[in-house]
Amino acid sequence: MSALLEVRGLKTHFYTRAGVVKAVDGIDFTLNAGEVLGLVGESGSGKTVASFSVLGLIDPPGRIVEGSIKFKGEELVGSPVSRMRQLRGRDIAMVFQDPMMTLTPVLKIETQMIETVLAHETVSRKAARDRSIEVLRRVGIPTPEDRIGAYPHQFSGGMRQRVAIAIALLHAPALILADEPTTALDVTIQGQIIAEMQKLVAETGTAMIWVSHDLAVVETIADSVAVMYAGRVVEHGPSANVIGRPAHPYTEGLLNSIPSRTTPGKRLNQIPGMAPSVLNLAPGCPFAPRCPYEQPACAEIPPARNIGPEHMARCITPLTRELT
Amino acid sequence: MTVFLIRRLLQTLAVLFAVSLVVFVGLYAVGNPADILLPDDATEVERQAAIRSLGLDQPLIVQYGLFLKNALSGDLGRSFVYNEPSIKLILARFPATLELALSALFIAMVLGFPLGLYAGLHPGTRMERAIMTGSILGFSLPNFWQGLMLILIFSIGLGWLPSSGRGQTGSLFGIETSFATWDGIRHLILPATNLALFKLALVIRLTRAQVRETMPLDFVKFGRARGLTERRIVGVHVAKTIAAPIVTVIGMELGSVIAFAVVTESIFAWPGMGKLIIDSINRLDRPVVAAYLLVITFLFILINLVVDLLYTALDPRVRLGGKS
């Protein structure tokens, strides 16, 4: 089976006045049809830029400087704007982080859904509207035939995110990029949305990239996990392996930072220091300054090493012990 | 809505009362109209008779009380100079001023909106810099000087357009207007342009600022991610979002354009309210000045009301009276 999405050596840099920001600096990953990939990292690790790069939605001064993104075998890097527009929303859809900001506040839900249908298909407005109502029902909006005439501000945050998800599902895309879709929501709503999306992608066989800083969320939804740090993927593998037996010290640090994993009464674990600025990255392993296992050999960028089947880590001394 | 209108009506009356008081006291302080109205060789007896017949021998408070009493029954006094009801004099000249003001705002919007949109969408280009430089000239060069230059170039230099008067008017839907005849339109072009230049600069800068604020918002990116065309995003989503603030400002400007058409009307000898008011101030024709200021105040209040109603129509998030 050929891969649905193949990203090779992708570099997306931003040419700012202060210098070149290497937000994404050479990442590789592969996604098969129907698979869910969790893209994990701290703020500024490049995970959002990576997902926007797939859609070609990098605004100047940023641009993709190198690498290849193949979707169903078609090269997307350097592909004309008109072709990208055809793919966006139809074959690759996106759900954004903040549902308060993604829908245009002055237009009715109806208008925004119908225009999304009509952007890719020639059908009557009536047919487009009927389909929109159907999809709203599927994502759990009660009485969608009434609610479709409302404005975004008349919905709660969770309901708005459901509407955004419905818009993403309108064309039954092969791939959905979900950029922290539950971060801005209440915990109870988070759980609902995650369960809902899990069900929807399973039903339709849609592949998904779930961008998040929350390993606990990713653990429940993703088949495989890619951990990003300073613009690179530092560990990649099946979620059970990456989360159960992390090989990179950074992944271990992330897992230890989840409060529920700590024994009650014990101090919370944290990774010392801050995520480095990708503006002026020191040579060598970018995580070395914060790494408890740092050694002289870390002064050079470590190559990707295979840890197990389909499990890769960029560390010269990958961890081998089980997490307790 | 009803509560909103009633509250507005009461506010209107309060404002009109306050303005009338300020105007009356102010005019009283400026000078005695009898000094100007009477010929130099008038005897003291004639002088006293004239003062009594105009009611100027009463104390200020009595004069004001009388003025208020008459005003409440719709009588704003008779002009000292023309011996006609002052309101009639003003309303007779109102169409000419309104026509000029509306033409000027029309020019400002029709040119300003696209130019501002272009400048906002293409920051840093040569065209954008040209537009912005032009707009700085538009509002920093004195209006009267711009008027004189227009006359110098287009009337005297090129001889294309007439420089003074209203030209021939015709009847359009029962209203006497310059739009009805070609001669009238030719006479209208220069004064309307003169009055428009400042507002044009304002509309350009406002539109550009709004566009630049709106384009980086998530819903624009989400529009792209849905596969909408750039045309649809800018033409519908962005345009509708920025329409509300722009309409507000332009609405406010309509009032000021009417009120401050004085300069333009003087330069181009336009027979509107502005010219009447300048003449009346020079002759200390108190009733006309007072009536004019009250009419303008009322216009401002009316326009504000219309703008508020328009705003709610354009932005569904706004509710009148602050209650939902």
Side-chain angles (χ1 to χ4, degrees):
Chain A
M1 186 175 69
S2 79
L4 178 72
L5 184 73
E6 232 184 318
V7 175
R8 290 284 164 262
L10 178 70
K11 292 189 178 181
T12 306
H13 295 176
F14 288 77
Y15 294 85
T16 66
R17 232 174 261 180
V20 181
V21 177
K22 296 175 178 171
V24 171
D25 203 25
I27 61 169
D28 309 87
F29 62 83
T30 307
L31 191 65
N32 294 317
E35 204 181 17
V36 178
L37 168 72
L39 203 53
V40 183
E42 284 168 284
S43 307
S45 60
K47 54 198 194 304
T48 296
V49 173
S51 57
F52 276 118
S53 299
V54 172
L55 272 182
L57 282 176
I58 299 296
D59 289 325
R63 63 187 173 87
I64 298 174
V65 286
E66 232 183 273
S68 141
I69 301 171
K70 281 210 171 96
F71 176 74
K72 291 184 177 169
E74 182 185 347
E75 178 60 57
L76 299 188
V77 176
S79 167
V81 179
S82 55
R83 175 63 187 149
M84 289 309 291
R85 193 192 71 69
Q86 284 179 339
L87 292 174
R88 291 174 195 154
R90 191 186 70 187
D91 301 279
I92 307 174
M94 191 148 186
V95 179
F96 284 38
Q97 175 173 0
D98 188 353
M100 303 291 169
M101 296 299 297
T102 45
L103 299 167
T104 307
V106 295
L107 295 175
K108 287 179 182 172
I109 299 299
E110 181 175 35
T111 316
Q112 303 192 48
M113 293 192 82
I114 292 174
E115 71 182 357
T116 312
V117 175
L118 297 182
H120 300 291
E121 279 172 48
T122 330
V123 294
S124 71
R125 291 187 67 83
K126 168 94 174 58
R129 192 170 184 277
D130 289 346
R131 197 207 297 180
S132 304
I133 292 175
E134 204 34 61
V135 181
L136 284 177
R137 200 189 312 281
R138 259 175 52 208
V139 298
I141 303 272
T143 62
E145 48 287 330
D146 300 329
R147 300 295 275 150
I148 195 170
Y151 287 96
H153 70 275
Q154 292 165 316
F155 287 85
S156 66
M159 281 296 158
R160 259 188 254 192
Q161 197 59 300
R162 283 172 197 267
V163 171
I165 292 166
I167 290 176
L169 291 172
L170 274 174
H171 292 280
L175 172 62
I176 291 181
L177 307 175
D179 183 10
E180 308 209 32
T182 58
T183 306
L185 304 176
D186 292 347
V187 181
T188 46
I189 310 293
Q190 258 186 33
Q192 286 177 14
I193 297 277
I194 292 167
E196 202 78 54
M197 285 203 78
Q198 219 167 3
K199 196 183 92 198
L200 289 166
V201 293
E203 273 171 17
T204 51
T206 309
M208 186 156 69
I209 297 180
W210 188 280
V211 178
S212 178
H213 62 261
D214 191 343
L215 264 175
V217 167
V218 167
E219 188 177 11
T220 63
I221 193 165
D223 303 314
S224 60
V225 175
V227 180
M228 282 190 76
Y229 190 78
R232 294 202 181 84
V233 174
V234 292
E235 181 161 5
H236 185 187
S239 0
N241 292 0
V242 173
I243 290 163
R245 289 188 298 279
H248 197 283
Y250 177 62
T251 316
E252 186 196 45
L254 277 184
L255 285 166
N256 284 338
S257 308
I258 302 174
S260 60
R261 288 180 184 256
T262 319
T263 325
K266 224 179 115 198
R267 277 184 75 87
L268 284 177
N269 288 305
Q270 47 178 327
I271 305 176
M274 303 243 292
S277 156
V278 282
L279 187 59
N280 291 308
L281 218 46
C285 173
F287 187 60
R290 301 168 73 187
C291 183
Y293 315 105
E294 192 203 350
Q295 42 182 285
C298 296
E300 272 176 53
I301 290 190
R305 288 173 66 154
N306 283 322
I307 309 299
E310 300 187 7
H311 189 172
M312 170 287 273
R314 275 180 190 275
C315 184
I316 51 163
T317 53
L319 311 170
T320 44
R321 63 202 168 80
E322 294 271 333
L323 256 199
T324 44
Chain B
M1 181 75 185
T2 320
V3 177
F4 170 78
L5 285 177
I6 291 172
R7 199 183 306 156
R8 258 316 166 80
L9 191 69
L10 292 175
Q11 282 170 1
T12 306
L13 289 174
V15 170
L16 284 175
F17 174 75
V19 168
S20 74
L21 188 65
V22 171
V23 165
F24 208 85
V25 173
L27 286 175
Y28 189 84
V30 169
N32 192 339
D35 298 342
I36 289 177
L37 290 172
L38 290 169
D40 288 341
D41 55 355
T43 65
E44 188 55 28
V45 178
E46 284 171 329
R47 209 178 115 79
Q48 290 304 330
I51 285 176
R52 210 171 306 119
S53 80
L54 294 176
L56 297 171
D57 53 339
Q58 306 287 329
L60 173 64
I61 186 78
V62 176
Q63 287 189 36
Y64 180 65
L66 199 66
F67 170 77
L68 261 194
K69 185 172 151 261
N70 289 336
L72 285 178
S73 57
D75 175 12
L76 288 174
R78 294 177 86 83
S79 160
F80 297 159
V81 179
Y82 301 95
N83 197 28
E84 272 189 72
S86 51
I87 191 78
K88 196 177 138 206
L89 284 171
I90 287 163
L91 291 184
R93 286 168 176 77
F94 182 68
T97 295
L98 188 66
E99 179 178 289
L100 186 62
L102 289 178
S103 309
L105 267 194
F106 179 76
I107 293 172
M109 273 162 70
V110 164
L111 293 179
F113 192 70
L115 286 175
L117 201 61
Y118 183 91
L121 291 175
H122 304 91
T125 58
R126 194 169 299 188
M127 186 69 182
E128 187 246 8
R129 256 170 279 159
I131 293 172
M132 296 323 288
T133 311
S135 79
I136 290 176
L137 293 181
F139 70 74
S140 54
L141 292 177
N143 204 245
F144 72 89
W145 184 82
Q146 291 174 354
L148 295 179
M149 286 305 114
L150 284 174
I151 293 178
L152 208 59
I153 296 169
F154 294 101
S155 302
I156 300 171
L158 298 166
W160 288 352
L161 295 163
S163 67
S164 78
R166 201 181 172 196
Q168 198 186 342
T169 56
S171 187
L172 205 66
F173 309 116
I175 304 166
E176 196 78 355
T177 167
S178 299
F179 296 125
T181 68
W182 176 232
D183 183 56
I185 291 174
R186 272 167 45 88
H187 276 83
L188 186 60
I189 293 176
L190 281 187
T193 307
N194 179 223
L195 196 55
L197 282 175
F198 187 91
K199 305 300 164 196
L200 174 63
L202 183 80
V203 174
I204 289 176
R205 299 192 81 83
L206 181 69
T207 309
R208 171 179 171 274
Q210 290 285 335
V211 169
R212 296 210 55 185
E213 239 171 65
T214 309
M215 288 310 283
L217 294 183
D218 263 4
F219 72 76
V220 172
K221 209 162 201 181
F222 189 58
R224 291 192 187 123
R226 289 191 275 149
L228 302 184
T229 57
E230 207 58 24
R231 200 189 163 83
R232 171 100 193 160
I233 292 171
V234 173
V236 177
H237 293 246
V238 175
K240 188 138 193 249
T241 305
I242 64 176
I246 291 178
V247 163
T248 310
V249 173
I250 288 177
M252 300 296 170
E253 292 302 320
L254 175 61
S256 82
V257 165
I258 291 174
F260 302 118
V262 176
V263 177
T264 299
E265 288 186 4
S266 305
I267 298 171
F268 293 90
W270 190 260
M273 292 192 299
K275 209 170 163 319
L276 172 72
I277 194 65
I278 287 287
D279 295 344
S280 300
I281 289 172
N282 284 334
R283 294 173 189 149
L284 288 179
D285 196 349
R286 280 190 204 165
V288 178
V289 179
Y292 171 81
L293 290 174
L294 288 177
V295 166
I296 291 290
T297 308
F298 182 71
L299 260 178
F300 263 96
I301 292 170
L302 192 70
I303 290 167
N304 278 3
L305 176 67
V306 172
V307 167
D308 279 351
L309 294 176
L310 263 181
Y311 203 110
T312 52
L314 286 171
D315 193 333
R317 287 166 298 181
V318 179
R319 287 285 161 272
L320 290 175
K323 279 180 273 179
S324 54

